[in-house]
Amino acid sequence: MANAPERFDAVFLPDGVSKISYEHPMNDPSTAVFRIEREDHTIGNLLRMQLLRDKNVIFAGYRQPHPLQHHIELRVKVKQPSSLSEESPVTALIEAITDLDQELNLLQDRFQFAVGRAQAAQSETG
Amino acid sequence: MEEHYSGRAQPGPETFESTGNDLREYIVYREAPGASPCAPIKQPPSYQFKPINWKTRKVDRQNLTVYFSLSRTEASTRLKAATRGQAMPNARFPTLELSECTDESLKFVLSRTDASVANALRRVMIAEVPTIAIDLVNISFNSSPLHDEFIAHRLGMIPLVSDKAADMNYTRDCECEDFCDLCAVVFQMDVEGQVEGTTVTSQHLQNVWFDPDTYPRASTVEPVHWSCGAEHPDPALDASASGIIIAKLKAGQRIKLEAIARKGIGKEHAKWSPVATVSYKSEPVVSLRLDELNNRLEVAQRQELLKWSDGALKWDARTNKLEYDDAFKYGRTALSNDFVRKCGEMLVQVGSHPSEVILLNNDPSRFEFFVESTGAISAPVVVVNAISVLRNKLQELQTSLRAETLDRVEHGLY
């Protein structure tokens, strides 16, 4: 077991490593490849599908390069090349995250409401 | 106020009287008519919230949906977003129906969302909701038939009540030297076999930090002995009622150990997973090609089939053909399994393949979830925690993405 990877490697973000970093391949500001550390298909697919709903995004895809490398690469291309204006891949990702967060917020509220009502109904019927 | 979403003619404005009740008087532009709940909205509605004075203003009813026609939470989400100046053209507003809710299991239908959200939720429930499980075992005496590693593994599999797991630290993040009551729980066990034989169970594990005043968090952690938390079953009737079996000892055999439980997540080791199962399926929608059905079956068969349709079909006496009932068209009833089976048999009898007439489509925006807890955390709390975990992940990602971008701007990379 000497060469087995540590169990927490997939979970624990080491010091000095940033959670997310990105680069523009071929110096193309309309494309960015985000490297997200210590995440997997859970977040990768979630972000990809949300980005594809954005009409400015013309490509969004992700991959986990290797099962023993605990990061994913998310590639995003947007319509118009610009640096930090509305259409940059960074703002597209920020917006996608905001939308997902709002969706989950709503889901949380609705779930707690439904559970509260179900439990109240149960205690009434005994 | 002059935005329209479809090419259809706009009817003239009409006066909208105030109903007099004190519902929030905000308006929101309606989503594009006819858009399916999951499809991206082609022309993004701008969610501009403007207070309306109903008494003095004429409102174009076709173009607006009044605030209170949305649910309260949905509207407040949009309102909060709008006040922050965010348009949310791509957000979804999922709905939820709970059909079974106990501490142990949960059934609900999640609709108006995407498979990626359903799957993320499932994956997080399985692998990323923190619980507490035995992680380190110091065995000081073991003359049982099971070797040390075997016992340590069995101990790890015992679910521990983890209601306070969210308040505890991970040992690697904790400020303590080795471990402390903020990041761990210590159990001790010393069992000696009696002449008649002894079964070592989870009930022999004694929490060392049992005092709730000194250790408000660690004292709540104990093994989940029974599958039903509400009532202790009678050991005389049910062999498993004595707790979770760890080992069996003959006379004179002994196990003495100290077990340290820690917080962790299922991604690190499956023993930290709070759920036995989480599954979802998208709902199949059964429909028929009625013209084909009417052509292939005899009148008597069609009449027989009508009896099985539970009101989803009706009989057209003029043409002697089957038609959809309005109830089916409006989604108030569906074709049952029995109907599909009967219909399939009849089609086989006349030499057709059922798939030529019976169409099965999965509705990709509706997911039936089933969650079963191990007992470590109750099933409803697992779902709530899973959503929180997912939201924290997204927020952390957004924060560090913003920081990364600012960093680049400062270093002149833009």
Side-chain angles (χ1 to χ4, degrees):
Chain A
M1 293 289 279
N3 63 352
E6 289 288 352
R7 237 166 35 180
F8 56 80
D9 268 358
V11 179
F12 180 64
L13 186 68
D15 286 342
V17 177
S18 108
K19 183 78 185 169
I20 183 166
S21 56
Y22 61 94
E23 58 187 35
H24 298 293
M26 317 287 283
N27 272 338
D28 172 12
S30 71
T31 309
V33 178
F34 298 93
R35 181 191 162 106
I36 306 174
E37 279 293 338
R38 301 301 183 262
E39 290 297 350
D40 57 11
H41 303 279
T42 309
I43 287 291
N45 195 35
L46 192 65
L47 290 175
R48 177 179 76 104
M49 295 309 284
Q50 185 65 39
L51 281 163
L52 288 173
R53 285 168 66 81
D54 190 333
K55 65 176 167 45
N56 282 323
V57 173
I58 55 179
F59 180 86
Y62 82 98
R63 64 171 189 154
Q64 185 177 17
H66 189 276
L68 288 177
Q69 291 176 5
H70 306 293
H71 69 266
I72 53 168
E73 283 171 10
L74 180 69
R75 192 185 181 99
V76 183
K77 184 167 171 62
V78 294
K79 255 180 198 163
Q80 289 141 18
S82 54
S83 58
L84 266 180
S85 72
E86 284 296 301
E87 285 84 25
S88 99
V90 174
T91 46
L93 185 57
I94 286 179
E95 263 172 35
I97 294 174
T98 308
D99 285 348
L100 282 171
D101 191 49
Q102 296 289 351
E103 176 176 352
L104 291 169
N105 184 16
L106 179 68
L107 195 59
Q108 202 166 22
D109 286 355
R110 286 193 169 156
F111 184 79
Q112 279 170 335
F113 177 73
V115 168
R117 205 168 50 176
Q119 282 169 349
Q122 273 167 17
S123 62
E124 260 176 38
T125 54
Chain B
M1 300 291 280
E2 289 301 318
E3 282 190 46
H4 306 307
Y5 303 110
S6 65
R8 73 179 183 190
Q10 293 295 321
E14 52 184 302
T15 315
F16 195 100
E17 288 291 319
S18 171
T19 49
N21 58 14
D22 193 25
L23 286 165
R24 248 49 70 78
E25 292 193 338
Y26 290 99
I27 54 165
V28 53
Y29 285 102
R30 184 162 57 188
E31 287 176 11
S36 93
C38 204
I41 298 160
K42 291 281 167 3
Q43 289 161 296
S46 49
Y47 294 117
Q48 296 169 357
F49 290 82
K50 292 174 185 167
I52 295 180
N53 187 342
W54 295 110
K55 297 227 167 95
T56 58
R57 223 171 161 159
K58 285 189 168 183
V59 178
D60 178 0
R61 237 170 149 175
Q62 283 295 311
N63 206 18
L64 302 172
T65 309
V66 180
Y67 177 83
F68 46 75
S69 71
L70 301 168
S71 84
R72 196 160 280 242
T73 35
E74 182 168 332
S76 75
T77 308
R78 290 190 183 189
L79 187 60
K80 278 181 206 157
T83 46
R84 282 200 296 268
Q86 301 161 341
M88 296 171 63
N90 301 314
R92 281 175 295 245
F93 298 93
T95 54
L96 201 129
E97 297 157 47
L98 201 60
S99 55
E100 191 189 303
C101 177
T102 63
D103 280 357
E104 287 165 337
S105 69
L106 203 63
K107 272 185 185 164
F108 61 90
V109 178
L110 181 65
S111 39
R112 298 185 66 196
T113 187
D114 187 70
S116 61
V117 174
N119 199 36
L121 210 53
R122 182 190 66 88
R123 285 177 63 100
V124 167
M125 277 190 246
I126 292 171
E128 299 188 48
V129 172
T131 63
I132 296 161
I134 290 172
D135 194 30
L136 197 67
V137 183
N138 295 319
I139 297 181
S140 38
F141 198 91
N142 176 19
S143 56
S144 78
L146 305 184
H147 59 255
D148 295 359
E149 291 88 342
F150 202 138
I151 292 172
H153 181 249
R154 287 183 74 76
L155 287 169
M157 294 294 141
I158 297 171
L160 305 178
V161 174
S162 309
D163 294 335
K164 294 279 194 290
D167 304 334
M168 288 173 75
N169 297 331
Y170 290 105
T171 304
R172 57 174 171 268
D173 297 337
C174 198
E175 287 174 357
C176 58
E177 185 84 357
D178 206 358
F179 59 88
C180 65
D181 64 300
L182 297 179
C183 64
V185 185
V186 180
F187 292 94
Q188 280 179 350
M189 190 167 86
D190 186 1
V191 192
E192 206 160 334
Q194 305 300 309
V195 179
E196 67 274 16
T198 302
T199 305
V200 185
T201 70
S202 55
Q203 295 207 67
H204 288 105
L205 285 169
Q206 299 297 322
N207 189 338
V208 174
W209 293 330
F210 59 86
D211 182 15
D213 297 326
T214 327
Y215 307 108
R217 275 169 269 193
S219 63
T220 62
V221 179
E222 55 170 23
V224 180
H225 303 298
W226 299 282
S227 61
C228 179
E231 215 171 310
H232 296 179
D234 183 358
L237 300 173
D238 184 359
S240 68
S242 54
I244 298 167
I245 298 172
I246 297 165
K248 288 182 176 175
L249 302 180
K250 286 286 183 199
Q253 292 177 339
R254 184 181 176 205
I255 297 177
K256 186 183 180 197
L257 56 83
E258 186 184 63
I260 295 147
R262 288 173 178 160
K263 180 178 167 178
I265 61 173
K267 207 175 175 183
E268 200 175 326
H269 191 289
K271 68 187 173 187
W272 277 298
S273 180
V275 289
T277 343
V278 187
S279 62
Y280 70 84
K281 58 179 179 188
S282 56
E283 192 183 57
V285 180
V286 182
S287 58
L288 299 168
R289 293 164 77 172
L290 277 180
D291 48 343
E292 294 288 326
L293 186 75
N294 285 321
N295 282 341
R296 290 173 195 219
L297 296 183
E298 302 297 325
V299 177
Q301 283 178 311
R302 298 206 290 266
Q303 277 174 333
E304 171 70 12
L305 210 51
L306 183 69
K307 293 176 196 160
W308 289 79
S309 72
D310 286 330
L313 298 179
K314 67 181 177 189
W315 188 257
D316 186 346
R318 199 167 46 83
T319 56
N320 279 348
K321 284 185 172 175
L322 289 168
E323 281 182 358
Y324 284 131
D325 194 88
D326 283 348
F328 181 82
K329 285 185 200 159
Y330 295 121
R332 289 198 299 273
T333 183
L335 295 166
S336 65
N337 280 346
D338 290 340
F339 175 89
V340 173
R341 203 172 298 124
K342 192 74 193 170
C343 186
E345 282 169 14
M346 285 181 177
L347 287 164
V348 171
Q349 276 171 21
V350 296
S352 303
H353 195 274
S355 67
E356 291 162 16
V357 175
I358 305 170
L359 301 174
L360 265 178
N361 285 315
N362 282 339
D363 180 357
S365 70
R366 209 176 135 84
F367 305 95
E368 293 175 19
F369 266 86
F370 175 65
V371 182
E372 189 185 325
S373 159
T374 59
I377 308 177
S378 77
V381 180
V382 171
V383 180
V384 173
N385 287 2
I387 300 174
S388 306
V389 167
L390 207 48
R391 289 190 67 197
N392 287 342
K393 266 177 182 296
L394 290 170
Q395 284 161 6
E396 186 194 347
L397 214 55
Q398 197 171 45
T399 315
S400 45
L401 181 57
R402 287 216 163 97
E404 173 83 12
T405 311
L406 281 178
D407 206 40
R408 282 177 169 239
V409 172
E410 276 173 21
H411 288 86
L413 281 164
Y414 274 112

